[in-house]
Amino acid sequence: MELNIDIVEERNKSVVRLSGEIDVYTAPQLKEKLLPLTKMTGNEVEVDMEFVSYMDSTGLGVFISALKSSNENSSKLKMINLSDRVYRVFNITGLHEIMDLERINKVER
Amino acid sequence: MELNIDIVEERNKSVVRLSGEIDVYTAPQLKEKLLPLTKMTGNEVEVDMEFVSYMDSTGLGVFISALKSSNENSSKLKMINLSDRVYRVFNITGLHEIMDLERINKVER
Amino acid sequence: MSNVDLIEMKIPAKAEYVGVIRLTLSGIANRIGFSYEEIEDIKVAISEAITNSITHGGVKEGEGEITISFGVYEDRLEVMVADDGESFQLNEVKSKIGPYKKSESMEDLREGGFGLFLIEVLMDKVQINNGLDGVTVLMTKYLNGVGVDLDDDQVSSQS
Amino acid sequence: MSNVDLIEMKIPAKAEYVGVIRLTLSGIANRIGFSYEEIEDIKVAISEAITNSITHGGVKEGEGEITISFGVYEDRLEVMVADDGESFQLNEVKSKIGPYKKSESMEDLREGGFGLFLIEVLMDKVQINNGLDGVTVLMTKYLNGVGVDLDDDQVSSQS
Ligand SMILES: Nc1ncnc2c1ncn2[C@@H]1O[C@H](COP(=O)(O)OP(=O)(O)O)[C@@H](O)[C@H]1O
Ligand SMILES: Nc1ncnc2c1ncn2[C@@H]1O[C@H](COP(=O)(O)OP(=O)(O)O)[C@@H](O)[C@H]1O
């Protein structure tokens, strides 16, 4: 019932490793850590979601504002290793059409 | 929140493999399956508790009546692969003194 | 013996307790016999309803109370989420929710409005009641995944 | 803002719901910061209290209701289990419970009576109230495992 957020900074790239649940309780922490990374021009932000066991619309909200910010600041946002469960939430809401998503063991966008 | 009870009959020996939780909901099923095995004279009843994730006093009640029955019917009752959690409940209540218990990775009686 | 078991919970309107309700729900849904996938879907739907009560209920964070009722039937689960906050214009809101549409430009992309939509997609039947003293969301999920229309308003008549 | 969060649950007095309460409890205790071992201990204590309400509450299986209240404090968890069944002679019972004693012969070995004893050992503070309309067990577990005696009767005054 917590969300661990691990950030590794590489050259022009930030890798964000999440593990736990993204809900109304944890989404604010995620937003606070993720948004600054998308504000660095030219930065490639890769969010590894392999160990995200739960996500609802509060998570979508965070990724939508991160996407907007990355568009405004010419950075890139990519979510990788999405489980079927997590992908399902993006997919039902149609957001898979505008987000750069890579499913676990399945390449899609 | 269920208890799976698997019984393998060998020569003069019954191996009972439990997995799940032993509580007020599942204890009656366990009693129903375990007691008849202790009623066979000379039978050796071995209960493998490795995958028991939870047990409370309702489980103790079942094992006490099985022990009584095995004493009356000259059979043997032995519990093996007890996790620390499960052993703790026998231990606190002092029942480890009269039961044949073998802890997981630790030999005791 | 009645043909429904009612489980009622009251929690503070605080974000940190949504996860607790998900755990309770998983136990109840498991008892009824829902699959892992179905349980995960119901978890999202209930979390959305509770999240709305917390964020839109109109109460200061931590001051309101949310009531969650689980109606356990043989063939279905009914979940009611009720807050004691402000009501809202359902029709106005309904015109705004739904999936992302390609026509939306990136700049206008809304960051919310997916919660009620997810509830509708993930559950078989949804009923929203706007009272003077808060919003009540009644959600039904059938065991076989098919939303048969039966006379099943036992929980709703309680609200 | 008060310094306690109250979570209240009502369940049918049926064996199948004890596991649901354990799940809820694990979420709440985890929030407070209890260790895995401590959470498992509290699970046993609460299950014992609910089991007693189901089996000794004097109601026909499936007809009574059990109320479980969780009082979430910074330094402790208070859990109250209350049934609407019959009361009992606490003093008479107290003389019978306890751990197994070597003096007991195998034939006389009691098959029950370990529930209340486990509650007392596993929790830091236990208070049993015998009302006219049922039994209330109030259990407290402190975060650091030490049962400091503070003025902490907020939940009990509710019963
Ligand atoms: N419990 C509630 N109390 C008051 N208003 C609500 C409630 N639930 C939903 N609403 C209204 O419905 C709108 C749509 O909700 P939803 O689809 O969950 O999206 P979001 O919560 O992201 O805005 C909310 O913005 C709010 O105006
Ligand atoms: N909620 C309750 N309602 C009525 N009697 C109770 C309740 N809880 C405990 N008791 C009484 O206390 C006795 C001891 O309980 P316990 O130690 O849990 O052992 P057991 O339940 O195995 O008998 C019970 O046998 C019963 O007589």
Side-chain angles (χ1 to χ4, degrees):
Chain A
M1 306 203 305
E2 265 136 56
L3 181 68
N4 290 311
I5 307 169
D6 242 40
I7 302 176
V8 179
E9 296 282 358
E10 296 171 16
R11 230 176 101 91
N12 297 327
K13 186 172 174 177
S14 311
V15 177
V16 182
R17 282 210 185 78
L18 305 179
S19 69
E21 304 191 344
I22 309 179
D23 70 358
V24 62
Y25 183 59
T26 59
Q29 299 155 239
L30 177 58
K31 189 166 180 172
E32 199 188 319
K33 298 221 171 153
L34 188 58
L35 251 62
L37 305 178
T38 61
K39 293 207 169 110
M40 293 149 65
T41 305
N43 194 28
E44 195 187 324
V45 183
E46 190 177 85
V47 185
D48 188 338
M49 301 185 69
E50 179 171 358
F51 298 107
V52 173
S53 55
Y54 174 85
M55 184 187 81
D56 56 30
S57 78
T58 59
L60 298 179
V62 173
F63 292 118
I64 291 169
S65 63
L67 179 64
K68 279 180 163 181
S69 162
S70 76
N71 273 13
E72 281 158 21
N73 297 285
S74 306
S75 64
K76 271 192 196 165
L77 176 70
K78 183 178 185 162
M79 271 70 76
I80 64 164
N81 288 330
L82 275 68
S83 68
D84 289 351
R85 288 297 322 162
V86 168
Y87 182 74
R88 182 169 165 77
V89 178
F90 283 107
N91 183 255
I92 290 177
T93 52
L95 291 166
H96 64 302
E97 303 211 22
I98 47 166
M99 300 246 174
D100 193 347
L101 307 175
E102 203 175 285
R103 300 173 70 174
I104 200 161
N105 293 334
K106 288 170 195 161
V107 183
E108 269 203 38
R109 57 151 302 149
Chain B
M1 302 203 304
E2 265 136 57
L3 181 68
N4 289 311
I5 306 168
D6 241 40
I7 302 175
V8 180
E9 296 282 0
E10 295 170 18
R11 230 177 102 91
N12 297 329
K13 186 172 175 178
S14 310
V15 177
V16 182
R17 281 208 187 79
L18 305 179
S19 69
E21 305 191 342
I22 309 180
D23 70 358
V24 62
Y25 182 59
T26 59
Q29 300 153 239
L30 177 59
K31 188 166 183 173
E32 199 187 319
K33 298 221 171 157
L34 188 58
L35 251 61
L37 305 177
T38 60
K39 294 206 170 113
M40 295 149 66
T41 304
N43 194 26
E44 195 188 323
V45 183
E46 189 177 83
V47 185
D48 188 339
M49 301 186 68
E50 180 171 358
F51 299 107
V52 173
S53 55
Y54 174 85
M55 183 186 82
D56 57 30
S57 77
T58 59
L60 298 179
V62 172
F63 292 118
I64 292 168
S65 63
L67 179 65
K68 280 181 164 181
S69 162
S70 76
N71 273 12
E72 281 158 21
N73 297 285
S74 306
S75 64
K76 272 192 195 166
L77 176 70
K78 183 177 185 163
M79 272 69 77
I80 63 163
N81 288 330
L82 273 70
S83 68
D84 289 351
R85 288 297 323 162
V86 168
Y87 181 74
R88 180 168 166 78
V89 178
F90 283 107
N91 184 254
I92 290 177
T93 52
L95 291 167
H96 64 300
E97 304 209 21
I98 47 167
M99 301 247 172
D100 193 347
L101 307 175
E102 202 175 286
R103 301 174 69 173
I104 200 162
N105 293 335
K106 289 170 194 162
V107 183
E108 271 202 36
R109 62 152 299 153
Chain C
M1 205 127 99
S2 70
N3 61 344
V4 55
D5 278 349
L6 273 184
I7 295 157
E8 211 178 86
M9 286 187 85
K10 275 199 208 325
I11 56 165
K14 291 185 179 179
E16 64 222 77
Y17 293 112
V18 184
V20 172
I21 303 298
R22 280 198 295 275
L23 283 167
T24 308
L25 177 269
S26 71
I28 295 170
N30 184 53
R31 272 272 165 275
I32 299 177
F34 285 105
S35 69
Y36 167 78
E37 294 295 328
E38 288 167 325
I39 293 174
E40 292 302 309
D41 281 353
I42 308 171
K43 270 189 194 170
V44 172
I46 292 180
S47 300
E48 296 295 349
I50 299 175
T51 298
N52 280 343
S53 289
I54 294 170
T55 54
H56 307 300
V59 289
K60 264 201 279 172
E61 156 87 21
E63 298 206 342
E65 215 181 34
I66 302 172
T67 304
I68 300 115
S69 308
F70 301 89
V72 175
Y73 295 82
E74 252 183 43
D75 65 333
R76 69 187 182 280
L77 172 66
E78 289 186 3
V79 186
M80 194 185 78
V81 175
D83 62 54
D84 47 11
E86 284 162 22
S87 56
F88 65 108
Q89 287 307 97
L90 188 56
N91 288 336
E92 196 186 299
V93 164
K94 277 219 160 165
S95 65
K96 285 192 223 151
I97 66 171
Y100 162 77
K101 288 177 210 73
K102 287 225 181 73
S103 55
E104 298 179 52
S105 76
M106 184 60 66
E107 288 75 34
D108 301 340
L109 193 58
R110 67 206 149 99
E111 291 177 30
F114 296 105
L116 289 178
F117 175 70
L118 277 167
I119 294 176
E120 300 220 333
V121 174
L122 298 174
M123 301 298 276
D124 293 323
K125 225 164 94 184
V126 181
Q127 196 182 311
I128 299 178
N129 291 317
N130 249 303
L132 282 176
D133 47 356
V135 172
T136 301
V137 180
L138 176 64
M139 299 163 275
T140 307
K141 185 90 177 176
Y142 288 86
L143 245 194
N144 51 7
V146 187
V148 197
D149 229 69
L150 299 165
D151 177 26
D152 53 359
D153 52 359
Q154 280 93 326
V155 167
S156 21
S157 66
Q158 287 222 331
S159 63
Chain D
M1 202 126 99
S2 71
N3 62 342
V4 55
D5 278 349
L6 274 184
I7 295 158
E8 212 179 86
M9 286 187 85
K10 275 200 207 329
I11 56 165
K14 291 186 177 177
E16 65 221 78
Y17 293 113
V18 183
V20 172
I21 303 298
R22 281 198 295 274
L23 282 168
T24 307
L25 177 269
S26 70
I28 294 171
N30 185 54
R31 272 272 165 274
I32 299 178
F34 285 104
S35 69
Y36 167 78
E37 294 296 328
E38 289 167 324
I39 294 174
E40 292 303 309
D41 282 353
I42 308 171
K43 271 189 194 171
V44 172
I46 292 179
S47 299
E48 298 294 350
I50 300 176
T51 298
N52 280 344
S53 289
I54 294 171
T55 55
H56 307 300
V59 289
K60 265 200 280 173
E61 156 90 20
E63 298 204 342
E65 215 179 36
I66 302 170
T67 304
I68 300 116
S69 307
F70 301 90
V72 175
Y73 295 81
E74 251 183 46
D75 64 333
R76 70 187 182 279
L77 171 67
E78 289 186 2
V79 186
M80 194 185 77
V81 175
D83 61 55
D84 48 10
E86 282 161 22
S87 56
F88 66 106
Q89 286 309 97
L90 188 56
N91 289 336
E92 195 185 303
V93 164
K94 277 219 162 165
S95 64
K96 284 190 224 153
I97 66 173
Y100 161 77
K101 288 177 211 74
K102 285 223 182 79
S103 56
E104 296 179 55
S105 77
M106 183 61 66
E107 288 74 35
D108 301 341
L109 194 57
R110 67 206 149 101
E111 292 177 28
F114 296 105
L116 289 178
F117 175 71
L118 277 168
I119 294 176
E120 299 220 333
V121 174
L122 298 175
M123 300 298 276
D124 292 323
K125 222 164 95 184
V126 182
Q127 195 181 313
I128 300 178
N129 291 317
N130 249 303
L132 282 176
D133 48 356
V135 172
T136 301
V137 180
L138 175 63
M139 299 163 274
T140 307
K141 185 89 177 176
Y142 288 87
L143 244 194
N144 51 7
V146 186
V148 197
D149 229 68
L150 299 165
D151 177 26
D152 53 357
D153 52 358
Q154 280 93 327
V155 167
S156 20
S157 66
Q158 288 222 333
S159 64

